């Protein structure tokens, strides 16, 4: 039984106020400030002006911006889609119907990387990829001379770090999705002589398709906002080699103090997030 | 059958290799924290607790843990209170804008918070709120509120309304029903949301890094960065010990949350509709 009540909406007041002040207002400010020359230093600091689409014109002509969009795409595709989503699925699939203790141990190890705070992940990974780090020790056993991973392959390093940190989430989502597939369907297919690959292709994947799509959107959104991991591992460098959009935004706003420009970049980031978020909601088929 | 067993062994083999890849970076931090001369590579330490006593003996480090607890604990408490209140009418009453409100909430759960940090900093600067732990706590609260409300609403939907109606017949008010009947039945849900919020905030580096300035007000997440960001010669052993101590609350809380979330993982409660 659902009732109507005039007073009940009062319970929403604290949440609505907080969301209004700290969520809606900043989004509106983003839209306003993006069209100004706001800066903390220089002549623009005293003389705040509406400059129309100037920031955006500058942005699209800025080679640094274009390449950071490209880097963000590379980071998203390799660390979110291919890394976390695919590796998470493979892990969940391989762990299915394995020895319980073995399953649990592998699960704990993978989840440990997820529970570890981003900043500690960054520290572990800097050590792991450093010149005298574990990775070079290991390749040394095979007679390969050490590689300066963070200098020669900085993008690869941050992508691997993000995969290490994030895969557990996808793995857990897929594990619970795979557990819900009734056993007899796959058994029936086996008896009918279907190969493992065919079962995977025509039965398992279609049955968890919903989880895959929703998870992919969620992971993409999370990865889009990744700042801490990249900033603390490489600072966006060497040079600008790992400067993705959030790091580029940070550098423009908080290092160069070009707030107007920085906000314009945030707006682009926000718009990408809004589009991805709408896709995410569509993929969930929510009922409210 | 031989083919089948071979296949199974290959699968076990792949899992072992993947497991080792995931284990390696963690293993290093574990070994390094017990090694006063720790280097970047893996090596067996002369087992010692010196790193831990050095980290815990530093009052600055202890204060940063304290600030972290205040920031994250305050945030978790506020999120729980605000989201229980908000979830109540959303779960129990017909309201005109309910559907659009819930959809906006869901939409907000997915937005990257990174994207609004620049204007939030502007706003803090304008109202002279920068370097205020309380204001930072309020911002953090709002940033995890959409998720909190969404989860809380689906937890509350699963508490039968009959019990509450019985309480009303016995003379309880709406508020009394919420406080004495609904809230106690939702304790597992409340605990889950509190734990999730606390851990998320405990691990958050970006927000306090932007909004707080003086060293005395920085939580552990920022202090740890300054540890390995600005110290030229990094003392890996101490840093590893600090990292391990800093990670502990997240691990312990995760284990606790598992007890409450017996039904596994369900996309932030969203799939429950």
């Amino acid at each position: 039984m659902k009732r109507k009540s005039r007073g009940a909406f009062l319970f929403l007041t604290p949440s609505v106020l907080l969301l209004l002040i700290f969520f809606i207002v900043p989004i509106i400010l983003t839209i306003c400030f993006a069209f100004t020359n706001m800066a903390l230093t220089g002549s623009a600091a005293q003389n705040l002006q509406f400059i129309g689409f100037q920031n955006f014109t500058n942005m699209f002509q800025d080679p640094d911006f274009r390449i950071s969009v490209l880097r963000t795409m590379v980071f998203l595709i390799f660390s979110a889609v291919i890394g976390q989503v695919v590796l998470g699925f493979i892990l969940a699939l391989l762990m299915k119907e394995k020895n319980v203790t073995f399953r649990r141990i592998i699960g704990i190890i993978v989840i440990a990387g997820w529970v570890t705070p981003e900043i500690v992940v960054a520290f572990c990974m800097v050590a792991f990829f450093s010149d005298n780090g574990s990775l070079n020790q290991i390749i040394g056993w095979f007679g390969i001379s050490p590689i300066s991973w963070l200098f020669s392959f900085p993008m690869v390093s941050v992508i691997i770090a993000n995969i290490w940190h994030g895969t557990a989430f996808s793995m857990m989502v897929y594990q619970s999705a795979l557990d819900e597939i009734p056993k007899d369907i796959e058994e029936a297919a086996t008896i009918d002589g279907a190969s493992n690959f065919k079962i995977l292709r025509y039965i398992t994947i279609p049955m968890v398709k919903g989880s895959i799509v929703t998870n992919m959107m969620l992971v993409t959104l999370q990865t889009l906002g990744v700042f801490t991991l990249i900033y603390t591992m490489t600072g966006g460098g060497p040079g600008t080699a790992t400067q993705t959009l959030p790091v580029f935004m940070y550098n423009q706003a908080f290092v160069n103090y070009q707030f107007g420009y920085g906000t314009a970049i945030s707006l682009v980031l926000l718009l990408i997030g809004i589009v991805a978020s709408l896709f995410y909601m569509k993929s969930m088929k929510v009922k409210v | 059958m031989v083919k089948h067993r071979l296949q199974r062994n290959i699968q076990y083999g792949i899992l072992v290799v993947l497991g080792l890849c995931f284990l390696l970076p963690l293993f290093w931090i574990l070994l390094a924290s017990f090694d006063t001369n720790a280097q970047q590579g893996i090596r067996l330490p002369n087992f010692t607790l010196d790193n831990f006593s050095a980290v815990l003996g530093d009052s600055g480090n202890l204060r940063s843990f304290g600030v972290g607890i205040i920031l994250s604990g305050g945030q978790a408490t506020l999120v729980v209170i605000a989201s229980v209140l908000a979830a109540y009418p959303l779960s129990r009453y017909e309201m005109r804008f309910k559907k659009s409100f819930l959809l906006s909430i869901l939409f907000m759960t997915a937005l990257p918070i990174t994207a609004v940090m620049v204007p939030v900093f502007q706003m803090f600067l304008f109202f002279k709120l920068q370097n205020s732990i309380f204001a930072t706590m309020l911002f953090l609260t709002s940033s995890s509120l959409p998720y909190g409300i969404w989860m809380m609403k689906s937890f509350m939907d699963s508490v039968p309304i009959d019990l509450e109606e019985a309480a009303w017949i016995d003379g309880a008010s709406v508020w009394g029903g919420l406080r004495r009947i609904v809230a106690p039945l939702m304790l597992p849900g409340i605990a889950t949301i509190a734990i999730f919020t606390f851990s998320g905030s405990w691990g958050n580096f970006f927000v306090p890094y932007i909004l707080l300035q003086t060293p005395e007000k920085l939580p552990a997440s920022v202090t740890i960065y300054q540890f390995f960001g600005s110290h030229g010669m990094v003392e890996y052993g101490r840093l590893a010990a600090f990292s391990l101590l800093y990670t502990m609350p997240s691990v312990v809380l995760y284990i606790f949350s598992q007890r409450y979330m017996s039904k596994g993982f369900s996309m932030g409660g969203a799939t429950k509709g």
Side-chain angles (χ1 to χ4, degrees), chain A:
Chain A
M1 190 179 83
K2 296 257 176 168
R3 297 141 296 136
K4 289 187 182 191
S5 164
R6 280 171 190 281
F9 71 89
L10 283 175
F11 283 147
L12 283 167
T13 326
S15 298
V16 170
L17 273 180
L18 279 169
L19 290 175
L20 207 63
I21 298 170
F22 291 106
F23 229 110
I24 312 295
V25 169
I27 290 177
I28 295 170
L29 288 181
T30 310
I31 298 167
C32 301
F33 290 166
F35 297 95
T36 68
N37 65 347
M38 184 180 285
L40 206 67
T41 53
S43 58
Q46 271 85 50
N47 186 16
L48 183 68
Q49 269 177 354
F50 178 77
I51 53 164
F53 284 92
Q54 193 61 48
N55 283 326
F56 295 92
T57 328
N58 291 347
M59 189 169 20
F60 290 109
Q61 282 167 354
D62 186 348
D64 274 350
F65 171 76
R66 275 179 294 184
I67 199 154
S68 66
V69 172
L70 202 71
R71 280 193 206 104
T72 311
M73 300 297 287
V74 169
F75 189 62
L76 282 179
I77 290 169
F78 286 97
S79 83
V81 182
I82 297 181
Q84 300 183 24
V85 174
V86 175
L87 183 61
F89 190 75
I90 291 173
L91 276 167
L93 202 63
L94 286 175
M95 280 161 80
K96 210 179 151 204
E97 283 155 38
K98 292 290 184 295
N99 177 289
V100 180
T101 319
F102 181 80
R103 240 178 98 133
R104 196 166 287 162
I105 293 171
I106 300 284
I108 287 172
I109 294 171
V110 177
I111 291 168
W114 181 66
V115 175
T116 306
E118 232 175 328
I119 187 108
V120 177
V121 173
F123 168 51
C124 282
M125 285 296 168
V126 168
F128 182 72
F129 286 115
S130 66
D131 294 355
N132 307 313
S134 315
L135 186 56
N136 279 337
Q137 279 182 312
I138 292 167
I139 63 170
W141 298 338
F142 301 97
I144 305 169
S145 46
I147 299 167
S148 286
W149 297 100
L150 286 163
F151 280 93
S152 310
F153 303 97
M155 247 350 237
V156 176
S157 308
V158 293
I159 285 169
I160 290 176
N162 197 45
I163 294 174
W164 189 77
H165 183 46
T167 301
F169 180 81
S170 302
M171 180 190 81
M172 288 187 281
V173 170
Y174 296 139
Q175 274 184 326
S176 64
L178 289 175
D179 282 346
E180 274 169 31
I181 298 178
K183 259 194 162 160
D184 37 343
I185 298 183
E186 285 169 353
E187 270 165 19
T190 316
I191 291 164
D192 289 345
S195 69
N196 280 349
F197 178 74
K198 278 197 167 157
I199 293 176
L200 181 67
R201 171 77 182 74
Y202 294 105
I203 298 175
T204 317
I205 291 182
M207 290 194 80
V208 296
K209 209 176 115 202
S211 305
I212 294 178
V213 174
T214 313
N215 178 55
M216 195 180 299
M217 291 315 299
L218 207 57
V219 169
T220 306
L221 276 157
Q222 279 165 357
T223 308
L224 183 68
V226 168
F227 168 83
T228 302
L229 194 67
I230 299 180
Y231 179 73
T232 52
M233 269 183 82
T234 66
T240 58
T242 51
Q243 192 170 264
T244 54
L245 269 182
V247 182
F248 184 57
M249 175 195 80
Y250 174 85
N251 283 336
Q252 292 305 321
F254 296 108
V255 179
N256 298 337
Y257 297 123
Q258 295 303 318
F259 282 109
Y261 193 40
T263 317
I265 304 163
S266 327
L267 189 58
V268 171
L269 201 58
L270 199 63
L271 289 176
I272 301 174
I274 286 172
V275 172
S277 187
L278 289 173
F279 271 109
Y280 161 66
M281 282 169 67
K282 210 164 165 53
S283 76
M284 295 223 320
K285 297 191 188 84
V286 275
K287 274 180 280 170
V288 286

Side-chain angles (χ1 to χ4, degrees), chain B residues 182-203:
Chain B
V182 185
L185 283 172
M186 285 184 60
L187 271 183
I190 290 176
T192 307
I193 292 164
I195 289 172
F196 263 59
T197 313
F198 188 97
S199 303
S201 164
W202 183 253

Side-chain angles (χ1 to χ4, degrees), chain A residues 3 38 97-98 225 231, chain B residues 8 11 42 114 122 168 209:
Chain A
R3 297 141 296 136
M38 184 180 285
E97 283 155 38
K98 292 290 184 295
Y231 179 73
Chain B
R8 247 184 118 70
Q11 292 182 350
I42 282 196
T114 315
Q122 289 292 308
W168 292 338
Y209 184 63

Side-chain angles (χ1 to χ4, degrees), chain B residues 149-164:
Chain B
I149 294 176
W150 186 266
M151 293 248 290
M152 198 67 92
K153 194 236 165 208
S154 61
F155 278 125
M156 205 176 274
D157 284 345
S158 60
V159 174
I161 198 163
D162 313 6
L163 295 172
E164 228 178 313

